[in-house]
Amino acid sequence: MAREKGLHDHWYDGIVDAFRIYIPGNSTYHTMRARNARTGTWFILPFIIGFLLFMLKPIMESFSMSLSDVVLLPGQGYHQTPVGFRNYHTALAVDPEFNKYLVEEIGQMAINTIATLVLSFVIAVILNQEFKGRTLCRAIFFLPVILSSGVLPGIEHQNEFYDMMGGLAESMAESSGMDISATLQDLLGASGVAGSVFEVVFTMIDSIYDIVMASGIQIIVFLSGLQSISPSLYEAADVEGCSGWESFWKITFPMVSPLLLVNCIYTIIDFFMKNDNRVMELIYQVTYQDAKFGVSSAMSWIYFGVALAFIGVSSFIISRMVKSYE
Amino acid sequence: MSKSETVFIGKNKSFWERNRRSEGYLLKRKVRSIAGSVIRALLLFGLCFMIIQPILMRITTGFMPEKDLYDTTVVMMPRSVTLDNYNLVFRLTRFPNSMVNTLWTSLLMSVLQVISCTLVAYGFARYEFPLKKLWFACVVMLIIIPPTTIQTALYMNFVNFDIFEIFKVTTGKTVNLRTSFIPYAIMCLTCMGLKNGLYIYMLRQYFKGVPKSLEEAAYIDGCGTMHTFTKIMLPDAMPTIASCFLFAFVWQWTDVFYSRNFLSSYSIYAVELSSIVSRMSRELAPPGQPAVIVSNGRSQQLISIGVLVCCIPLIILYCFTQKTFVKSLAMTGSKE
C-alpha cells in the first residue's frame, strides 16, 4: 500500500494518522486508504476492546498492587497504600527462597530449551522420512499435546505413587549394578573428559520424559516446515552429487531454521507458564496462603521481566545466527 | 537377441555378482540403509514406548483392586479385575454431569474463540491501519503474559462488573457476573481466552501466505469485504481454522485456571479432577468426623483413572482428526 510521503517519520505520526483516518472532516478521510484502514480496524476491533478491558486494565491494577501494600477488606474489595518499591525489595532480598528458585529455574530452562529444540528437530526429521508405520508414530508423538495440557501435568507432578515405583526400580537397578546413566557417567568421568558438560548432558537424559512431553507442538511446527520444502531442491542436490549428509546441512537445516526462533520462544513461554514450576508454586503460595498480594504481584512482575529478557536475548541470538528466506 | 542382453545386464545375476561389478558400492548402500532403519526403529520404539507406557500403566492400575496395589508380585496385570474404582471416580467427579458441562462449555468457548481470532487475524494479515505495529505487539504480549499475573485483578473486575459505571448509576449496584458463563464468553469473543494470542498468530501466518490477487479478483467482480472474506478466504482457510479449533477445544477441555475462575458455578470435569483426593478423604470419613488421609497408592490410582477418563474422549477425537491436523499445520507454512 502506497504511503504518503513524510508520514511515519516520527513516533507520533501513527497517532496523527489515526486522527486523520477515524475522524471525518479532513481530506484524508474519504481516500481509499482511509476506508481500507477503517475496514481493517473493524476486523480487529474485538481484540482491541478485549485487550483494553481484560488485559490492560488488570495489568495496570496488578502493577499498582506490586507498588503498594494490599489489605483485603472484610466482605469485598481491598485497600491499597502505596509503598514504592518495598515489595520488590522484599521479594529479592528478604524472601529466602525466591532468589534461589528463580536462578535454578532459569538454569533448568536454558538446558531444557536447548534439549527440546534439538530433540524435536531430530524427531521431526525422522518422522518426515518414509517408513512403515509412520502415521502411527506421528500420532503417538503428538499425543503429548493432549497429555501435557492444563490440569494433567500438574496432577502427574504430584504422582508420588509412580515416583515411588520409579524409585523402587532405581534402587533395584543400583543394587544389581545396572544403573546405566550413572555407570556411563562414571566411565566417562574416569576417562577425564570435561566433567561438567557431561553432567549437563546426563541431566538432560534423565529428564527426557519431561522433554518429550513438552515438545509436541515443536515437533508439529518443525514437521510443517520440513513438508513445505520443495522436493525439487533435493533432486537438484542429488544430481549435483550431494550426499544425504550434505543436503541435510545445506538444504534442510537452513530452510527450517527460521522456525527455530518460533519454537524457541514457544518453549521458553511454555516452560515459564507451567504449573509445576517452582517459582509459580511459590507465587501461588504467597498469594493464597500468606495473602501477601503486593509481594506476590511484585514477584510475578520480576518473573515476567526475567522471562521477557530471556526471550529477548535468545531471539536476538537466533535471529543473528539464522538466515531468513522470505 | 544381443540387444536384450546388454539392456538387462544385471537382471538375472545374483546380488553378489552385481555387487562385484559395482566394486562394493551396492553392498555398502544396502548395509547403510538397513543400519539406518534399524537405528531409526530403535529410537522411535524407545521414545514411543516412553509416551505410551504411562497410559498403559494407568489402564491396568485402574482395574486393580486395592490390595493388588501393595502386592509387589503384581507388576502390570491385575490379579483380579474390578470396576469399583471407576464407579468411585465417577461418583467423586460427578461424572456424567461434569462431563456434559465440560463438553458444552468447551465447544461453545472454542467456537467463540476461533471465530473472533479468525476475524482479528484476517484484519492483521490484510489491512494497513494506524498503530498496527502497536496492536500486534499487544498480540505478542498476550502470548507472553502468564494469565496468573492478572488473576486477582480480573476476578475483582467480574465480581463487581460494570461498564463505565452505567449499572451503578441506573440500578444502584454493580453486577456480579461470576455465577454465569457470560463473562468468559465475552472474553472469548474478544480474544482474551486461553492462549488466544497463539491462534491469532497462527491464522495470521496462514492468511499472509494466501495470494492477494484472489481477493483483488473478487473485489473487481463486485464482491464486498464481508462477502470476499466469507466466500473466498474462509473456505480455503478451513483446515487451519479446524486445527486451531482442535487446539482450543483440547486446551479448554483440560484447563483449570479459567474454569475455576470464571465457570465456578458449573461442575467442570478438570476442576473436579484437581480436587479428587481431598473429596475422597471427606467421603471416606464417617459423618461428623474429620477427613481421613487416603493412602498414597490409592489416591494416585484414583488420579490416574481420572486422568484417563479425561484423556480418552480427546484421544478418540484426535485419532479421527490427526490427518487433517498435520496437513493443515503443514500449510501454515514457515513464512514469517
Side-chain angles (χ1 to χ4, degrees):
Chain A
M1 193 152 297
R3 283 195 175 132
E4 282 170 33
K5 220 179 178 188
L7 212 57
H8 299 279
D9 281 349
H10 304 284
W11 63 270
Y12 53 81
D13 280 337
I15 301 168
V16 172
D17 206 23
F19 275 114
R20 284 202 202 142
I21 283 169
Y22 297 128
I23 295 169
N26 62 63
S27 56
T28 322
Y29 185 80
H30 290 289
T31 57
M32 185 72 181
R33 186 175 77 90
R35 228 184 301 164
N36 268 335
R38 282 198 296 276
T39 325
T41 315
W42 278 114
F43 271 108
I44 68 156
L45 194 61
F47 173 77
I48 295 177
I49 294 173
F51 190 82
L52 294 181
L53 274 185
F54 305 123
M55 204 72 196
L56 205 58
K57 197 164 162 248
I59 285 177
M60 300 290 214
E61 281 165 13
S62 139
F63 191 64
S64 82
M65 262 188 201
S66 76
L67 291 176
S68 54
D69 208 16
V70 183
V71 182
L72 275 187
L73 299 176
Q76 278 173 0
Y78 54 92
H79 183 70
Q80 293 184 358
T81 37
V83 291
F85 284 93
R86 207 177 65 201
N87 286 326
Y88 288 88
H89 183 255
T90 314
L92 285 174
V94 179
D95 194 283
E97 285 168 329
F98 183 70
N99 258 335
K100 196 181 76 186
Y101 284 173
L102 194 63
V103 173
E104 276 175 17
E105 287 293 337
I106 290 170
Q108 183 70 36
M109 184 189 58
I111 294 174
N112 267 15
T113 308
I114 294 168
T116 310
L117 286 180
V118 172
L119 185 81
S120 54
F121 185 64
V122 170
I123 290 177
V125 167
I126 292 176
L127 288 183
N128 198 36
Q129 293 168 350
E130 292 285 341
F131 57 91
K132 264 181 199 162
R134 184 172 72 153
T135 332
L136 183 72
C137 274
R138 279 190 185 177
I140 290 173
F141 273 107
F142 303 145
L143 270 183
V145 177
I146 294 173
L147 295 179
S148 66
S149 62
V151 66
L152 306 177
I155 274 192
E156 215 168 65
H157 181 64
Q158 315 160 354
N159 215 337
E160 286 154 15
F161 177 53
Y162 291 109
D163 279 0
M164 201 175 72
M165 292 186 93
L168 202 70
E170 217 164 76
S171 64
M172 273 167 73
E174 260 169 38
S175 63
S176 59
M178 289 266 292
D179 191 344
I180 296 171
S181 74
T183 319
L184 264 179
Q185 204 166 354
D186 285 347
L187 225 82
L188 290 169
S191 62
V193 201
S196 57
V197 176
F198 276 108
E199 215 154 275
V200 171
V201 172
F202 279 107
T203 28
M204 278 185 202
I205 293 173
D206 284 342
S207 61
I208 192 155
Y209 179 73
D210 295 332
I211 293 171
V212 170
M213 286 313 262
S215 55
I217 299 273
Q218 287 86 333
I219 293 174
I220 296 181
V221 171
F222 274 137
L223 198 57
S224 69
L226 287 174
Q227 287 182 344
S228 68
I229 301 174
S230 137
S232 56
L233 280 178
Y234 290 107
E235 265 168 43
D238 204 31
V239 168
E240 299 287 342
C242 252
S243 68
W245 180 250
E246 277 169 331
S247 65
F248 176 81
W249 286 108
K250 298 276 181 244
I251 299 173
T252 314
F253 192 72
M255 290 297 275
V256 180
S257 58
L259 292 178
L260 220 57
L261 184 64
V262 178
N263 267 347
C264 180
I265 292 173
Y266 184 84
T267 315
I268 294 172
I269 293 167
D270 207 37
F271 191 83
F272 262 110
M273 299 221 268
K274 252 189 200 163
N275 298 331
D276 54 353
N277 191 317
R278 268 190 302 181
V279 179
M280 284 294 232
E281 269 172 16
L282 186 70
I283 292 174
Y284 196 79
Q285 189 191 332
V286 171
T287 319
Y288 290 98
Q289 289 172 11
D290 310 349
K292 290 181 198 158
F293 292 100
V295 179
S296 81
S297 10
M299 280 178 178
S300 40
W301 275 97
I302 294 170
Y303 190 50
F304 177 57
V306 169
L308 211 58
F310 205 87
I311 290 171
V313 169
S314 54
S315 55
F316 179 77
I317 293 172
I318 291 178
S319 61
R320 278 287 165 285
M321 261 165 47
V322 158
K323 260 188 206 163
S324 178
Y325 294 86
E326 181 61 36
Chain B
M1 193 65 197
S2 66
K3 196 182 170 192
S4 70
E5 256 172 29
T6 50
V7 170
F8 301 112
I9 190 153
K11 197 175 184 231
N12 299 318
K13 300 279 182 343
S14 74
F15 175 77
W16 296 110
E17 178 67 14
R18 278 184 292 152
N19 182 40
R20 197 181 53 75
R21 280 182 186 225
S22 70
E23 292 167 352
Y25 173 75
L26 206 57
L27 183 68
K28 217 165 147 191
R29 205 181 63 178
K30 188 112 186 170
V31 167
R32 201 178 275 172
S33 88
I34 289 176
S37 54
V38 166
I39 291 172
R40 182 174 62 203
L42 280 178
L43 194 67
L44 284 180
F45 177 77
L47 289 172
C48 286
F49 181 74
M50 200 165 63
I51 296 170
I52 294 283
Q53 193 259 354
I55 303 176
L56 295 179
M57 188 95 168
R58 288 212 177 92
I59 294 174
T60 54
T61 45
F63 289 113
M64 283 182 192
E66 198 178 347
K67 71 173 172 22
D68 276 15
L69 287 177
Y70 306 111
D71 192 342
T72 43
T73 56
V74 175
V75 178
M76 275 297 264
M77 298 308 289
R79 193 153 283 169
S80 55
V81 173
T82 171
L83 282 174
D84 290 352
N85 302 322
Y86 277 86
N87 284 332
L88 184 62
V89 169
F90 285 167
R91 203 168 68 237
L92 289 175
T93 53
R94 303 183 197 145
F95 173 66
N97 207 348
S98 60
M99 213 42 137
V100 169
N101 277 337
T102 312
L103 186 67
W104 74 257
T105 47
S106 312
L107 263 180
L108 176 70
M109 297 310 165
S110 42
V111 166
L112 290 181
Q113 286 175 12
V114 167
I115 290 174
S116 57
C117 286
T118 312
L119 286 174
V120 172
Y122 183 67
F124 273 118
R126 273 297 187 267
Y127 289 96
E128 289 294 330
F129 42 83
L131 308 181
K132 183 175 170 182
K133 279 196 179 140
L134 177 76
W135 293 124
F136 197 69
C138 291
V139 173
V140 176
M141 284 251 287
L142 194 63
I143 304 177
I144 295 174
I145 294 176
T148 29
T149 327
I150 54 163
Q151 180 178 16
T152 337
L154 259 185
Y155 176 82
M156 295 294 182
N157 245 348
F158 278 119
V159 171
N160 308 310
F161 186 76
D162 213 338
I163 304 171
F164 306 126
E165 311 220 329
I166 292 170
F167 296 130
K168 207 166 195 170
V169 172
T170 50
T171 59
K173 57 177 179 181
T174 55
V175 187
N176 184 357
L177 274 183
R178 219 184 145 233
T179 49
S180 74
F181 66 90
I182 295 172
Y184 193 45
I186 295 173
M187 283 180 70
C188 289
L189 263 182
T190 52
C191 303
M192 291 297 133
L194 186 62
K195 298 200 184 189
N196 278 9
L198 195 65
Y199 311 145
I200 296 179
Y201 188 82
M202 269 171 63
L203 286 163
R204 185 191 83 121
Q205 293 297 87
Y206 170 78
F207 281 130
K208 274 184 106 178
V210 179
K212 249 180 192 164
S213 46
L214 267 179
E215 287 149 288
E216 274 160 14
Y219 287 140
I220 285 169
D221 286 347
C223 252
T225 313
M226 260 345 251
H227 216 72
T228 314
F229 178 63
T230 50
K231 288 275 155 68
I232 310 286
M233 295 304 274
L234 275 190
D236 278 346
M238 264 315 162
T240 316
I241 293 176
S243 63
C244 273
F245 170 76
L246 270 177
F247 275 133
F249 185 76
V250 167
W251 280 330
Q252 189 61 49
W253 184 279
T254 54
D255 168 64
V256 188
F257 177 77
Y258 282 97
S259 308
R260 196 181 274 155
N261 277 326
F262 300 118
L263 302 168
S264 57
S265 53
Y266 303 94
S267 126
I268 301 292
Y269 187 80
V271 179
E272 305 278 349
L273 182 62
S274 63
S275 62
I276 183 171
V277 176
S278 59
R279 195 169 297 144
M280 166 94 184
S281 52
R282 244 176 287 138
E283 169 144 335
L284 284 182
Q289 298 286 312
V292 292
I293 295 165
V294 185
S295 76
N296 209 351
R298 181 74 167 151
S299 63
Q300 296 309 330
Q301 184 191 22
L302 295 183
I303 285 179
S304 62
I305 294 174
V307 169
L308 205 60
V309 172
C310 189
C311 289
I312 283 174
L314 298 179
I315 292 176
I316 293 172
L317 177 79
Y318 173 71
C319 286
F320 282 114
T321 48
Q322 75 73 33
K323 221 164 216 177
T324 8
F325 200 58
V326 176
K327 220 173 254 169
S328 73
L329 280 160
M331 294 202 312
T332 323
S334 52
K335 283 176 221 104
E336 173 53 40

